[in-house]
């Protein structure tokens, strides 16, 4: 990481985050819905995590995964949205090189960790539905501990090269990032040296890691669907499918938004630049705000705990 800490190879001292280049005169109004979504995301994720911590019946592997997803969502939105609000409201566009590269690393790592968490959630549902008799022996606390370790190590190892490779480039004169966040493409596009390695590595990781997670998740739910179709007991299929509904909603939203974001970035010549920028910002705030609401409303085991917290809050 010494290459990141050293600024001797750079001819510029900081970057400027412009956010939305075509709506500079009124982009500050976007801070209102973003601030509202940030409040929802922080409050709802904290509530979900506290409910899981307090309720003894929620001390199960599946709910630990939900709680872990809440932690990731909380860190992701706090690593991006406050700075975006600073740019939109207070015109605090400047960001030093080290902070920019650290944000790049954090964003990529957290997105990779969320993808891996969804993968383990899908595996949890696969075992619960397709091999219910083996569930307690396969999805154990030891398995969850190993899953958390795998998610952490894999994400850090594959995402660490992003800022390291970006820091190796020469940034000669341009320092205006037409984005709200220090993304790989937005930052490295300012370099005056060859960035082929950066582009290739980003492509390999996007399809090799996130793509493989998505394929395995789809495979898990195809196997689950096959089992559900074979169920002949009246209402059993609907009941079984309902246990997966919250996972499917969140997974579908996460990867759909990610795929749309990738395609809009690739079609930047025919799409207004502000569109992929907005999609990127929404990807940092909508899932953190949506995930706990979906689990809170659609998971019957969590509803009593949430209602207890609400009643306790009203009494206080």
């Amino acid at each position: 990481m010494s290459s990141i800490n050293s600024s001797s190879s750079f001819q510029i001292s900081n970057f400027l985050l412009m956010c939305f280049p075509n709506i500079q005169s009124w982009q500050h109004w976007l801070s209102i819905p973003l601030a509202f979504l940030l409040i929802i995301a922080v409050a709802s994720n904290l509530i979900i995590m506290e409910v899981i911590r307090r309720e003894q019946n929620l001390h199960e592997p599946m709910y630990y995964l939900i709680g872990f997803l809440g932690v990731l969502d909380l860190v992701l939105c706090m690593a991006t949205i406050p700075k975006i609000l600073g740019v939109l409201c207070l015109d605090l566009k400047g960001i030093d090189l080290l902070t920019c590269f650290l944000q790049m690393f954090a964003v990529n790592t957290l997105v990779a960790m969320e993808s891996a968490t969804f993968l383990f959630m899908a595996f949890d549902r696969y075992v619960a539905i397709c091999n219910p008799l083996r569930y307690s022996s396969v999805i154990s606390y030891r398995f969850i501990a190993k899953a958390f370790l795998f998610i952490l190590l894999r994400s850090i190892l594959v995402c660490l090269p992003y800022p390291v490779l970006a820091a190796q480039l020469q940034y000669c004169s341009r320092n205006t990032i037409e984005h709200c966040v220090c993304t790989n493409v937005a930052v490295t596009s300012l370099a005056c040296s060859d960035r082929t390695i950066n582009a290739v590595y980003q492509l390999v990781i996007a399809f090799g890691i996130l793509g493989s997670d998505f394929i395995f998740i789809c495979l898990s739910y195809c196997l689950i669907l096959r089992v559900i179709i074979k169920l002949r007991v009246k209402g059993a299929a609907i009941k079984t499918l309902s246990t997966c509904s919250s996972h499917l909603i969140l997974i579908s939203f996460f990867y759909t938004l990610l795929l749309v974001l990738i395609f809009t970035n690739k079609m930047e010549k025919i799409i207004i630049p502000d569109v992929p920028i907005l999609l990127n910002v929404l990807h940092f705030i909508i899932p953190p705000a949506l995930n706990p609401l979906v689990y809170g409303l659609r998971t019957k085991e969590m509803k009593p705990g949430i209602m207890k917290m609400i009643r306790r809050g009203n009494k206080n």
Side-chain angles (χ1 to χ4, degrees):
M1 295 294 288
S2 59
S3 57
I4 296 180
N5 291 328
S6 174
S7 60
S8 59
S9 61
F10 298 92
Q11 295 183 26
I12 58 175
S13 59
N14 69 338
F15 292 118
L16 295 177
L17 293 167
M18 300 302 293
C19 264
F20 303 97
N22 295 321
I23 56 172
Q24 289 285 301
S25 60
W26 60 272
Q27 67 175 4
H28 58 278
W29 290 107
L30 294 175
S31 62
I32 297 174
L34 282 180
F36 179 69
L37 287 171
L38 178 62
I39 293 171
I40 293 177
V42 172
S44 56
N45 278 290
L46 288 176
I47 288 173
I48 290 293
M49 288 186 285
E50 183 63 13
V51 168
I52 294 173
R53 186 187 72 85
R54 289 190 178 191
E55 298 299 316
Q56 195 66 33
N57 65 314
L58 299 182
H59 292 180
E60 298 291 337
M62 182 180 72
Y63 298 106
Y64 286 139
L65 286 171
I66 294 174
F68 185 63
L69 182 64
V71 173
L72 296 179
D73 283 338
L74 195 58
V75 176
L76 179 61
C77 64
M78 292 306 296
T80 54
I81 303 304
K83 177 59 181 177
I84 295 173
L85 291 176
V87 174
L88 296 178
C89 295
L90 305 174
D91 203 35
L92 300 175
K93 298 178 180 179
I95 183 170
D96 63 83
L97 301 175
L98 177 60
T99 303
C100 187
F101 290 128
L102 286 176
Q103 187 184 62
M104 181 192 297
F105 172 67
V107 166
N108 284 292
T109 302
L110 290 165
V111 170
M113 290 176 75
E114 287 207 359
S115 178
T117 303
F118 282 128
L119 174 62
F120 280 104
M121 284 181 168
F123 181 70
D124 171 270
R125 291 299 85 199
Y126 163 76
V127 177
I129 295 171
C130 300
N131 295 284
L133 298 178
R134 295 188 58 202
Y135 181 80
S136 58
S137 61
V138 175
I139 310 297
S140 61
Y141 294 108
R142 186 175 182 180
F143 171 83
I144 293 299
K146 289 181 178 179
F148 288 159
L149 184 61
F150 169 82
I151 292 170
L152 183 64
L153 291 179
R154 189 194 74 165
S155 301
I156 290 176
L157 290 175
V158 301
C159 294
L160 186 59
Y162 281 126
V164 172
L165 289 172
Q168 304 300 320
L169 300 175
Q170 297 293 323
Y171 299 88
C172 304
S173 56
R174 295 187 301 151
N175 71 333
T176 301
I177 300 175
E178 294 188 349
H179 211 295
C180 299
V181 179
C182 289
T183 63
N184 308 314
V185 175
V187 173
T188 57
S189 64
L190 301 179
C192 53
S193 54
D194 184 39
R195 59 187 182 95
T196 303
I197 296 177
N198 303 69
V200 170
Y201 185 79
Q202 180 174 339
L203 193 65
V204 169
I205 295 303
F207 288 96
I209 300 299
L210 299 181
S212 62
D213 286 350
F214 180 68
I215 290 171
F216 283 120
I217 288 171
C218 290
L219 178 62
S220 297
Y221 278 103
C222 285
L223 295 173
I224 289 172
L225 187 60
R226 187 179 68 173
V227 170
I228 290 174
I229 292 173
K230 290 181 179 179
L231 291 175
R232 299 181 182 275
V233 181
K234 186 178 180 180
I238 296 175
K239 184 179 179 181
T240 303
L241 188 61
S242 67
T243 65
C244 302
S245 59
S246 55
H247 302 85
L248 283 170
I249 291 171
L250 300 182
I251 289 169
S252 299
F253 189 83
F254 177 83
Y255 284 104
T256 299
L257 189 54
L258 201 59
L259 288 172
V260 170
L261 181 59
I262 291 172
F263 284 121
T264 52
N265 273 307
K266 294 299 179 183
M267 300 169 64
E268 57 183 2
K269 292 183 179 179
I270 60 175
I271 293 179
I272 300 173
D274 293 336
V275 173
I277 295 173
L278 178 61
L279 287 173
N280 214 320
V281 172
L282 292 178
H283 190 263
F284 297 139
I285 190 61
I286 295 293
L290 180 68
N291 291 353
L293 295 179
V294 170
Y295 279 115
L297 294 174
R298 299 188 64 88
T299 307
K300 62 180 181 179
E301 291 83 1
M302 297 189 72
K303 286 182 182 178
I306 294 174
M307 294 307 297
K308 283 182 186 177
M309 286 197 64
I310 293 174
R311 285 194 294 267
R312 193 180 294 115
N314 291 333
K315 290 179 180 179
N316 295 335

